[in-house]
Amino acid sequence: MKSVVNDFSIHVATVNGSGSQTANNVLLRSIMQMGVPVSGKNLFPSNIAGLPTWFTIRVNEDGYIARHARNDVLVVMNPETAATDVASMGPGSLIIANDAIKFPDVPADRTVYRVPMAKLMEPITNDVKLRRLVVNMIYVGIAGQLLGIEQAEVEKALHAQLGKKPKALALNAAAVKAGYDFAAENPLAIPFRVERRDLTGGKILIDGNTAAALGSMFAGVTVVAWYPITPSSSLIEALIGYLERYRRDEKTGKATFAVVQAEDEIAAIGNVLGANWAGARAMTATSGPGISLMAEFFGYGYYAEIPAVVWDIQRVGPSTGLPTRTMQGDLSFAWGLSHGDTSFPVLLPGSVTECFEFAGTAFDLAERLQSPLLVLSDLDIGMNNWMSEPFEYPTKPWDRGKVLDEAALEKIGQFQRYGDVDGDGIPWRTLPGNRNWKGTYFTRGSGHDELARYTENTEAYVRGMDRLKKKMENARALMPQPELLETPGADVGLIAYGSSHWAVLEARDLLAKQGVKASYLRVRALPLAHSVHEFARKYARVYVVEQNRDGQLREKLLTEVPDAAARVQSVLHYDGLPIDAQSVVDGVLAHEGRTVTEGATR
Amino acid sequence: MSAPTTPPAGQPVNRVGLSRADYDGSKTTLCPGCGHNAITGGIIQAAWEAGLEPHKVAKLSGIGCSSKTPAYFLGHSHGFNSVHGRMPSIATGVSMANRELLLLGVSGDGDTASIGIGQFMHMIRRNVPAIYIVENNGVYGLTKGQFSATADLGSTRKSGEANRLMPVDLCALAIELGCGFVARSFSGDQKQLRPLLKAAFAHKGTAIIDVISPCVTFADHEGSTKSYAAVKEHDAPLHDIDYVPYFEDLSVDYEPGTTREVDMPDGSRIFLKKLDTDYDPTDLKKAWAVIHEAREEQKLITGLLYVNPKTHTFHDELRMVDAPLATLPLEQVRPPQRVLEEVMRSFAEGSAPIGAGGG
Ligand SMILES: Cc1ncc(C[n+]2csc(CCOP(=O)(O)OP(=O)(O)O)c2C)c(N)n1
Ligand code: SF4
Ligand SMILES: [Mg+2]
């Protein structure tokens, strides 16, 4: 048997709300603690308890952490989905099953390992409810023993998570041990092995929403408004947790922040615009349905030039769509949100680290550009667990943009709220509370001139709109620039953004093995940097990889470089699952007119 | 020009040294005779008399003829003419960012009772410190006279068409939601409106003033229950109102039993002089009863319907530091490096909760 070391995927099929999350995280962490890179993806239904849920752990010592299309080890804990779960496993795979669960026989080249979980639980506790929760730890122990995960690491990971609850810790530890013991007494030769490496030292495991929450706190957010919606709620809930802990004075009970749970997303963006107008750093987080509701206020913020930071943790649309699945479907809408001629700066974080960093960048740019700004994350980055270097403490001071205070007003002649005094399209603003009457102005979404006076004058309108266009044109250089990975001699160019990054990185290596040399450019913001235009023109064939049906970034790119239209194609993935490398390879090879030589099998 | 320290000679000044003209705004563009213009005049006068400092006021509105008016008063205060029906959310945001500002909101009955009724209600629930004036004419003036949700049963449009839908009573709704300052007035009764406005400036939470304000162009005909003639005929004030601000150390002599006094938290006092009956505006049940009676008898009761100066406000709930959040320096809002290190350690060890999904 050819052994497969540190390169396989474990797929755990359980029931939502059954307590499997702790078990899966312990499994994930214990492998990471052995120095082997991992990633964990939670595939869960739009349901609180009772429906099927899956958790996939990818173990890969080369550091590829995108989802893998093929699963090697399956853990069967859900009778309802057992038959289809088992049927999805390929030759050579291992199926660990609770022996109480019945499913049809599998071909002989799959190995089934049945575990009498109920019996193993008997000596651990009499409490039926507890048994149901703790039984998940049995599969952790079984998998641990069969795959060679050191028991001490599992115990350490368990302790880290449950150390504060000694009773729960003891029960769970007993179940882990029962699993290990059973598998030791009933050994099975399988190819999949975890072997100790030194590739994860000092790394953290975190989800993007938590990273964004931390980044926002360290960026000095003071006002937060929100309306709950998956998959964005955990961002705000994490943020509230950190703010309460670190930004409320223990002695006085007073906070350097304010949070409001708004009545809907229209109110949430209204709160954020009001607070930013008054000089606070204010943000909200939502998902597709929320930004649909915010459209009118976005146009207001564009035209009246008010900063706002809005995180859109994208999920599958249109409409309610698949609320707990991932997608990059909001790019086109975000760019032109609202009626009339508008366009908005958009940040496209591709990692948890960027979720942390862009939280600060978002405030700096929204205030610098005096515009609502969107950060398009997605469910995959936002809610899944990603390995990362620890985040670096921000050393840069914040950029509060062009604000004239009382002293500054004293030194100027006339205050022109909407005048292009610096020639960069960005005007100066003042904040309410300013004592200097020279700085007073009236903010409105109706026609206004340079002095913020109401006007329907056609020339003043055109001047204003042209300046706004110029402002966004200049924003190309202010936004985070693309990340470029060039390959000497490449004649294929790959373009991607956001969570697609990890699959594309891996796909690029796989393509190289197939003899396709590809350079790669990762877009990190809209408006597009000029270097994206150059990249699209440079390569004979360019593939824009994205997780939506319509190729939204490609479409945007081609409106800016129409001359490249014939050479720029889409490679798309939009079934709601996180994109995987093989689908990118397949898509590129199909365009290249090459047959796919190696599919999703090993 | 900074705030003038010496006012033009001969003009009276208020306690902050400003003349009445310092509270003017730009020229109105509304129809001559529009009730909203009279309310604008009332706001200017009340703000001057109360000695509001213009830089400490933020004017807010939605969309409509009424919502245009903040441009016509307090020209030295920042203003935010927002989108239709959404002024309360702007007010809530401004209030979080800068707790020192006095928020002066103006809306219409369309802006408030239809598109904006959700935000209106939630602002009251939260008790956001703000004055919310509804300039109520029973129609959508700016879109040319359609019925609004405050049009009375049987009231007609110019075309003769009668309203058959129940009106929304914004004052009853506000009281129901726990609002601590609810008044109804009439744009033509400045004697009543001004003291109500000044009292509202001193209120700590949300103050609602529903001001019947005839639309001369679309709702001043016979058959409209909000025409000047109809309002004058049915107006039934609950009391005569006097307002004595805290900075006027006035001893007021009223014959015992004729007047009620309400003390505001800042030391100001509201005096309510009894008319036909002795109305107690601190009695919630009375307020409901009087509103329902008025509807049955087709009377327009005006005055201070309900007051509770000691409500739990949005600011009480948020427990923010004293300085406006908008003014906090970076050092105060960016926790030190050791905090990030502590958090990062928890994610390296696995003691932080991870993965927010189901399972
Ligand atoms: C989203 C939206 N829908 C519709 C309108 C059109 N509109 C402008 S003002 C108005 C009604 C205003 O009525 P009211 O608040 O009573 O103000 P009034 O003009 O009577 O003072 C409407 C429907 C709009 N501006 N925005
Ligand atoms: S249309 Fe009516 S509400 Fe509007 S300005 Fe004219 S009178 Fe006033
Ligand atoms: Mg109206």
Side-chain angles (χ1 to χ4, degrees), chain B residues 81-96:
Chain B
N81 172 206
S82 70
V83 295
H84 198 19
R86 318 298 179 194
M87 178 258 278
S89 62
I90 298 296
T92 307
V94 176
S95 185
M96 291 192 278

Side-chain angles (χ1 to χ4, degrees), chain A residues 296, chain B residues 36 63-66 84 108-111 115 137 139-143:
Chain A
E296 186 188 17
Chain B
H36 302 349
I63 293 287
C65 297
S66 34
H84 198 19
D109 45 314
D111 198 62
I115 192 167
N137 51 19
V139 290
Y140 293 179
L142 192 58
T143 53

Side-chain angles (χ1 to χ4, degrees), chain B residues 103-116:
Chain B
L103 307 189
L104 187 48
V106 177
S107 175
D109 45 314
D111 198 62
T112 296
S114 290
I115 192 167

Side-chain angles (χ1 to χ4, degrees), chain A residues 14-21 25 28-29 32-33 42 44 53 157 160-161 164 202-207 210 214 217-225 234 242 244-248 253-264 266-268 270-280 296-297 300 306 356 383 385 390-398 400 410 430-446, chain B residues 1-4 18 22-23 26 29 53-61 63 67-84 86-99 101 103 115 118-123 125-126 314 317-323 325-359:
Chain A
T14 54
V15 176
N16 204 19
S18 69
S20 55
Q21 213 190 351
N25 283 334
L28 185 68
R29 283 218 159 254
M32 179 173 149
Q33 283 161 209
N42 201 343
F44 62 104
T53 177
Q161 279 205 17
K164 285 179 201 124
K203 287 220 163 61
I204 59 167
L205 196 60
I206 196 169
D207 61 275
T210 303
L214 282 168
M217 174 169 74
F218 286 98
V221 66
T222 50
V223 173
V224 181
S234 63
Y242 289 123
E244 286 292 346
R245 172 130 189 224
Y246 297 113
R247 295 264 302 272
R248 189 183 288 284
K254 290 188 174 176
T256 59
F257 66 90
V259 180
V260 62
Q261 185 182 320
E263 53 271 35
D264 56 35
I266 303 177
N271 299 157
V272 168
L273 284 169
N276 271 298
W277 176 79
E296 186 188 17
F297 255 140
Y300 186 100
I306 303 172
F356 178 79
M383 288 184 77
N385 302 312
F391 305 147
E392 276 172 35
Y393 188 74
T395 46
K396 263 201 323 197
W398 56 11
R400 304 300 311 264
E410 214 52 67
T430 58
L431 304 176
N434 190 315
R435 280 166 197 281
N436 193 323
W437 285 3
K438 202 193 284 170
T440 311
Y441 76 101
F442 193 75
T443 308
R444 46 163 65 87
S446 46
Chain B
M1 173 189 77
S2 312
L18 299 178
D22 289 328
Y23 292 84
S26 57
T29 58
E53 294 178 85
H55 75 275
K56 285 195 177 158
V57 177
K59 307 173 292 179
L60 312 168
S61 63
I63 293 287
S67 292
K68 288 183 178 185
T69 62
Y72 314 142
F73 58 79
L74 273 62
H76 299 299
S77 300
H78 273 67
F80 196 129
N81 172 206
S82 70
V83 295
H84 198 19
R86 318 298 179 194
M87 178 258 278
S89 62
I90 298 296
T92 307
V94 176
S95 185
M96 291 192 278
N98 190 336
R99 59 181 303 162
L101 294 172
L103 307 189
I115 192 167
Q119 294 208 348
F120 173 75
M121 290 172 69
H122 287 279
M123 174 180 186
R125 275 186 71 230
R126 292 189 188 103
F314 190 44
E317 181 68 19
L318 292 172
R319 293 185 296 143
M320 298 179 285
V321 290
D322 298 338
L325 296 184
T327 63
L328 301 180
L330 182 59
E331 311 82 75
Q332 228 178 317
V333 293
R334 175 177 286 170
Q337 185 156 0
R338 68 173 162 73
V339 169
L340 182 63
E341 283 163 4
E342 176 184 313
V343 175
M344 286 298 100
R345 218 172 305 123
S346 73
F347 283 98
E349 288 164 357
S351 53
I354 54 165

Side-chain angles (χ1 to χ4, degrees), chain A residues 6-23:
Chain A
N6 295 339
D7 180 20
F8 57 91
S9 289
I10 309 168
H11 195 54
V12 182
T14 54
V15 176
N16 204 19
S18 69
S20 55
Q21 213 190 351
T22 313

